Amino acid sequence: MIERAAGPALVIAGGTVHTPDGPRRVDVHISDGVITSLEERRSASPGPGVVDARGMYVLPGAIDVHVHSRDPGFPEKEDFGTLTAAAAAGGVTTVVDMPNTVPAVDAGGVLEAKAALAHSKARVDFGLWGLIRSSSTAEQLESLARAGAIGFKAYLGYAFSLGRKQILYTAETDDPDLEAPPDYGTLLRLAPVVSALGLPLVIHAEDPGILAAFRRPLDSYSAILAARPPEAEAVAISAAAAIADSVGTRLHIAHLSSALGLMAAEAALKDGSRLSLETCPQYLWLSDQDFPRVGNVMKVYPPVRTALDRAALIDAVDRGVIRIVATDHAPHTNEEKARPLELAPAGSPGVQTLYLSCLELAKRLGDMWKAPRWVSEGPAALAGVHESKGQITPGFDADLVLVDPRRGTEFRPSLMRSRQRHGALEGMRSSFSIAEVYVRGRLVAREGRKVGKAIGRMVAPR
Ligand SMILES: [Zn+2]
């Protein structure tokens, strides 16, 4: 009789571990990719199966719930291989990919095909969002849920090309090829379906009517701010929360960017909304004052706003009102980003610098141990994987990051593993470095370089 080979047993020994009870000096024992126990230090001799983590912090892997792999659709920008190599290098052990790939992920069959493609290339675990179109039916959403969708994303104000099966950055619908963007009516019609499926509804929260009224030539950064006022964010949040609350739908606000949007969200939370909030490192580290230095790489939608907006968002993250920091990693080529401001597409890479930038922010706020809550615990709850990921505790996946607090990192293009090596936080320094990264007990990156094969698996909510 052939015995089934047990998965590699591993001990991460000698580090300071982020546990649900706070930082503890324990060894993490792993078998078959799962954490089996946290044990008080024994003088484990270094050897096979023992990782020497003395002097290191052992943190739960980050779950970036907002990335754009561009795969399938735009291989010149990124694909699942390069996305997840960058994720692994930065301590992100799970990515959740947005549905605006091509074909857009608007039904279960499309999601299954995308999952197979991702599985063949992914170096970290992954989940997939489904798409809500203005024409989406209950059957389509149900098929997405059966195929394992993490939830559903509605891009308010973004039209859909029927011929290209692709979301476009336009609200125009004169062209017969273009299907109207989803609107509040779409949300109201489908919220009961989403609610019955028990999954979150994510919105790109900028009110299309306000954006249409403030359209103008985008020949300066101040013109971008004037064209996308924070009221557009606040109005979309209030309206979507009212709709979601009417049937008890979990609503998630992607990339919160403004103090006004935050006020609208806090008002809804006070009224009992099942609302979760996400912001991104670019809104926590940059303001409009940085545009002359950073340039078009800083062009993202919604825009990076003022220092006052940034301060309000940092405060909300610190208070735990915003529970999720994700990246909106959205690569475009150097050539695309070098176009005149008006024509340069919105979006920039960021997955690799998520953890280090959050550790730095948490340290400056007085407690670096808060960072894993923002990038790991909070996101795990949104994605519905909080029973297997997001914490270092027995029974959970051994998704672990060894962080070295004795060596800092400067964000330089030469370190970046995305197909696009630029980033809005380029030049920034973190007081930490990422030494080793494990996905389900398997080493996937060391010192910023990928290790091993594409072992990523799809995760689905439960
Ligand atoms: Zn996005």
Side-chain angles (χ1 to χ4, degrees), residues 66 68 98 153 155 255 328 330:
H66 192 153
H68 297 271
M98 284 296 168
K153 172 90 180 268
Y155 290 85
H255 47 48
D328 197 4

Side-chain angles (χ1 to χ4, degrees), residues 8 39 47 60 86 97 100-101 175 196 222 232 241 244 254 288 338 386 414 420 439:
E39 296 182 14
D97 197 44
N100 62 335
T101 39
D175 184 338
S222 56
D288 55 351
H386 50 287
S414 61
Q420 311 307 327
V439 172

Side-chain angles (χ1 to χ4, degrees), residues 306-365:
T306 69
L308 286 175
D309 291 292
R310 179 179 58 190
L313 294 169
I314 290 173
D315 180 59
V317 170
D318 197 29
R319 285 185 289 131
V321 172
I322 297 175
R323 294 191 177 187
I324 296 170
V325 182
T327 62
D328 197 4
H329 175 93
H332 298 285
T333 65
N334 285 326
E335 294 70 29
E336 289 170 316
K337 290 303 270 186
R339 290 174 190 160
L341 183 58
E342 172 120 42
L343 301 175
S348 284
V351 71
Q352 192 174 335
T353 51
L354 172 67
Y355 223 141
L356 288 176
S357 64
C358 283
L359 282 166
E360 183 64 24
L361 180 63
K363 182 189 173 205
R364 292 193 194 183
L365 292 170

Side-chain angles (χ1 to χ4, degrees), residues 38 52 71 107 125 129 205 216 230 298 306 330 415 420 422 455:
L38 304 180
D52 182 1
D71 194 7
D125 286 350
W129 293 105
R216 67 197 58 216
M298 213 178 99
T306 69
L415 299 180
Q420 311 307 327
H422 54 255
I455 54 115

Side-chain angles (χ1 to χ4, degrees), residues 406-457:
R406 299 159 297 192
R407 288 183 298 137
T409 306
E410 185 182 327
F411 299 167
R412 293 196 309 269
S414 61
L415 299 180
M416 296 300 139
R417 302 290 172 239
S418 165
R419 186 152 291 152
Q420 311 307 327
R421 296 189 151 198
H422 54 255
L425 301 188
E426 195 174 308
M428 183 186 145
R429 278 193 64 83
S430 174
S431 313
F432 306 89
S433 64
I434 307 258
E436 292 188 352
V437 181
Y438 294 82
V439 172
R440 285 175 280 103
R442 298 226 244 169
L443 184 68
V444 296
R446 175 182 283 139
E447 303 297 342
R449 296 190 180 278
K450 64 192 182 189
V451 174
K453 298 201 174 109
I455 54 115
R457 281 190 206 154

